[in-house]
Amino acid sequence: LGNIAKLIQLTKGSPVKLGLLRGQEHLTITVKPKWLTKKKMWKVGVGLSAVTRINYKELPKPLPTGTIEGPSGGLMFTLAYITELSPGSLSPVPIAGTGTIDIDGGVGDIGGVQYKVSGAIAAGDKVFFVPSANAAAARKTAKGHIQIVVVNGIGDALHWLCTHGATNKVCSS
């Protein structure tokens, strides 16, 4: 993904042709990068228009996320989707975590971390991923009963998992 992002920057806003694979169908689309003033960079993305047709038969089944909900579940939702979309195990030990996820994969702070850590301990989880802004409160609540791992982005969580026994295909890329 890093190479694509670098190539988008080199276009300086010129249209770019992208090749896509949808099932067995090869598609080519042309996208025009948009300048993001605050981030001082070119970006491409996907948006929905006012007339959007959805083939509901093609939608994947919802993931079994149990009681994960709301923006503070962003990190764990992202890890759940990676697990579903890539072969192999991503979770070598029972893990829990919290944190919002932004468009660049950054993990943001949340409220009520002490309750989430306590719940993870009660559920028997061994590792808890937490945004750096919530690390002190998480460690205070954990009292050594669960390993607290600070993550600033999805890459930090994946790195930890991949260096601690995960066998998911994302670990080899």
Side-chain angles (χ1 to χ4, degrees), residues 2-173:
N3 291 336
I4 292 172
K6 289 177 187 173
L7 290 172
I8 296 298
Q9 298 314 304
L10 294 174
T11 69
K12 299 196 184 301
S14 298
V16 178
K17 284 188 179 185
L18 297 176
L20 304 173
L21 180 62
R22 181 179 185 209
Q24 300 300 318
E25 182 182 6
H26 292 272
L27 304 169
T28 301
I29 63 169
T30 301
V31 296
K32 184 167 180 7
K34 180 180 177 183
W35 179 253
L36 298 181
T37 305
K38 288 184 181 179
K39 295 194 177 212
K40 297 183 179 168
M41 63 188 330
W42 293 99
K43 287 283 193 169
V44 295
V46 177
L48 299 176
S49 68
V51 180
T52 303
R53 290 178 176 78
I54 298 172
N55 182 347
Y56 290 97
K57 292 178 183 174
E58 290 184 9
L59 291 176
K61 292 180 182 176
L63 293 175
T65 57
T67 58
I68 300 174
E69 59 183 61
S72 64
L75 171 64
M76 300 313 288
F77 276 127
T78 303
L79 292 174
Y81 275 104
I82 291 169
T83 299
E84 289 295 314
L85 296 173
S86 303
S89 171
L90 193 55
S91 182
V93 296
I95 63 167
T98 191
T100 61
I101 197 100
D102 67 29
I103 195 163
D104 294 325
V107 176
D109 60 319
I110 51 85
V113 73
Q114 65 274 26
Y115 304 111
K116 294 168 185 179
V117 171
S118 295
I121 293 167
D125 295 313
K126 303 298 179 200
V127 175
F128 191 88
F129 292 142
V130 65
S132 56
N134 299 111
R139 286 187 183 108
K140 183 177 178 181
T141 303
K143 297 179 185 169
H145 296 289
I146 192 169
Q147 181 180 355
I148 301 297
V149 176
V150 176
V151 293
N152 292 309
I154 189 68
D156 293 343
L158 289 172
H159 176 76
W160 189 93
L161 291 165
C162 292
T163 57
H164 287 82
T167 59
N168 192 283
K169 187 174 182 175
V170 298
C171 294
S172 61
S173 58

